[in-house]
């Protein structure tokens, strides 16, 4: 599979990788470095929705796998559509990101922009995939049917440092749909998660519910969290929440998708989510 992925990427000639430092984008970046050498570039977007420590982690991974690494600053909070936080929030966020990256690719002569989307993403609610299609972004892992489990296996085989790193999506994913995304809310979530991690927890989310911060931790850490509930709740309140609690169920990705959408303006026209072909124009070849 590594050879097939490298051949796919090598055939592009050059590429920019949308690089968060998570295992998916780290694997794509490592493959791009192997296949393209100096013609591969990893770019990390910095915004208030990037969790504490994620940039440092991305920089360490880029150095370890030997890919050139740069950062850009995105401003999705400037978009009313993004701040409204309906179920298409990720579409607006990724539109900002991929618009910036494809523009950079065109100006600097990279032939493609790559993402870390994998085969499992195709069966989940991923409006960001529509934004990717609109901008001609390619997904080598998804194209070749690589699942999340296989991503971790391949990353480990290639000695990618983030092979066993827990997923860490943007901080806005902790906010229920219909609750506006605000800078102060993102900062509060970030501070709460940082405080809980300082207590030794690895896989977690602090879900934002107004003045309540509800912690989800991984299954293996849940029993310990319950024993340390007072310290954990104190840490979350110290980050600015009036109330704090530990979810009795273990962490599960996308749990907020199961909640009703409050305050959402149903009159707002949502971007299309249908599949298209041939979306986006390829950037100019790199010189």
């Amino acid at each position: 599979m590594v050879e097939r992925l490298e051949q796919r990427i090598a055939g592009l000639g050059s590429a920019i990788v949308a690089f968060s430092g998570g295992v998916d984008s780290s694997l794509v970046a490592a493959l791009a470095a192997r296949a393209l050498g100096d013609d591969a570039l990893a770019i990390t977007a910095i915004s208030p929705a990037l969790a504490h420590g994620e940039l440092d982690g991305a920089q360490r991974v880029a150095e370890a796998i030997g890919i050139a690494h740069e950062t850009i600053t995105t401003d999705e909070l400037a978009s009313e559509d993004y701040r409204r936080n309906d179920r298409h929030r990720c579409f607006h966020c990724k539109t900002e990101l991929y618009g910036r990256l494809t523009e950079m690719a065109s100006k600097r002569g990279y032939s493609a922009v790559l993402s870390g989307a994998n085969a499992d993403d195709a069966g989940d609610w991923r409006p960001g995939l529509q934004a990717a299609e609109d901008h001609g972004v390619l997904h080598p892992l998804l194209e070749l049917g690589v699942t999340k489990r296989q991503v971790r296996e391949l990353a480990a085989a290639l000695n990618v440092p983030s092979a066993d790193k827990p997923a860490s999506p943007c901080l806005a994913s902790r906010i229920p749909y219909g609750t506006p995304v605000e800078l102060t809310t993102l900062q509060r979530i970030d501070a709460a998660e940082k405080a809980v991690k300082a207590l030794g927890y690895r896989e977690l989310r602090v879900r934002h519910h107004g003045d309540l911060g509800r912690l989800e931790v991984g299954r293996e850490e849940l029993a310990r969290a319950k024993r340390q509930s007072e310290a954990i709740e104190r840490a979350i309140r110290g980050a600015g929440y009036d109330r704090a609690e530990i979810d009795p169920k273990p962490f599960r990705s996308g749990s907020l998708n199961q909640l009703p959408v409050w305050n959402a303006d149903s009159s707002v026209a949502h971007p299309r989510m249908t599949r298209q072909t041939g979306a986006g124009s390829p950037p100019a070849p790199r010189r």
Side-chain angles (χ1 to χ4, degrees):
M1 181 60 75
V2 168
E3 183 177 355
R4 291 178 61 199
L5 287 164
E6 287 183 1
Q7 289 176 347
R8 171 68 177 109
I9 295 172
L12 301 172
S14 61
I16 285 175
V17 180
F19 180 63
S20 68
V23 62
D24 302 311
S25 64
S26 293
L27 175 59
V28 173
L31 292 165
R34 290 162 60 97
L36 299 171
D38 293 340
D39 290 321
L41 173 64
I43 296 183
T44 302
I46 301 174
S47 80
L50 184 67
H52 176 83
E54 290 300 302
L55 176 58
D56 290 342
Q59 290 171 332
R60 289 193 294 270
V61 172
E63 182 177 359
I65 63 179
I67 191 170
H69 182 224
E70 297 180 12
T71 62
I72 60 172
T73 299
T74 56
D75 190 19
E76 53 267 29
L77 278 172
S79 167
E80 181 180 351
D81 290 330
Y82 173 84
R83 295 194 309 272
R84 184 172 58 244
N85 193 24
D86 61 24
R87 286 178 60 84
H88 301 277
R89 180 194 67 237
C90 288
F91 172 85
H92 304 297
C93 176
K94 295 299 187 183
T95 293
E96 162 80 0
L97 172 63
Y98 293 143
R100 294 285 304 281
L101 293 184
T102 52
E103 180 181 13
M104 181 179 293
S106 180
K107 288 181 177 180
R108 294 172 60 170
Y110 289 89
S111 62
V113 174
L114 308 180
S115 92
N118 64 66
D120 290 344
D121 293 327
D124 198 358
W125 176 247
R126 290 289 189 270
L129 290 177
Q130 179 66 60
E133 189 166 358
D134 289 349
H135 289 86
V137 174
L138 303 178
H139 318 292
L141 302 176
L142 177 55
E143 287 179 19
L144 294 183
V146 180
T147 65
K148 186 72 171 187
R149 178 183 60 80
Q150 291 173 314
V151 166
R152 293 197 181 278
E153 292 173 353
L154 293 173
L158 295 180
N159 296 315
V160 177
S162 55
D164 63 347
K165 181 182 182 294
S168 183
C170 78
L171 294 170
S173 66
R174 282 69 152 169
I175 304 173
Y177 292 127
T179 299
V181 179
E182 299 176 346
L183 176 61
T184 54
T185 302
L186 296 173
Q187 292 172 332
R188 186 184 305 174
I189 295 167
D190 197 27
E193 293 192 353
K194 179 182 177 183
V196 176
K197 287 178 180 177
L199 296 175
Y201 293 87
R202 185 167 180 266
E203 185 177 34
L204 60 93
R205 301 284 189 274
V206 173
R207 306 294 188 187
H208 176 83
H209 299 278
D211 65 353
L212 169 66
R214 176 178 290 125
L215 174 69
E216 294 179 11
V217 297
R219 185 177 302 277
E220 295 179 356
E221 298 178 304
L222 183 56
R224 177 163 65 94
K226 290 178 178 178
R227 293 194 299 269
Q228 296 181 321
S229 60
E230 290 187 7
I232 288 174
E233 291 171 9
R234 186 165 55 248
I236 294 173
R237 289 195 300 270
Y241 285 99
D242 294 334
R243 299 180 295 134
E245 64 182 37
I246 300 172
D247 195 312
K249 297 180 180 179
F251 161 74
R252 56 272 184 206
S253 179
S255 63
L256 288 184
N257 288 342
Q258 308 305 315
L259 297 178
V261 179
W262 304 109
N263 304 319
D265 183 354
S266 60
S267 67
V268 176
H270 298 314
R272 51 187 165 63
M273 288 292 115
T274 55
R275 296 283 298 172
Q276 293 185 359
T277 57
S281 299
R286 192 177 184 204
R287 296 173 180 80

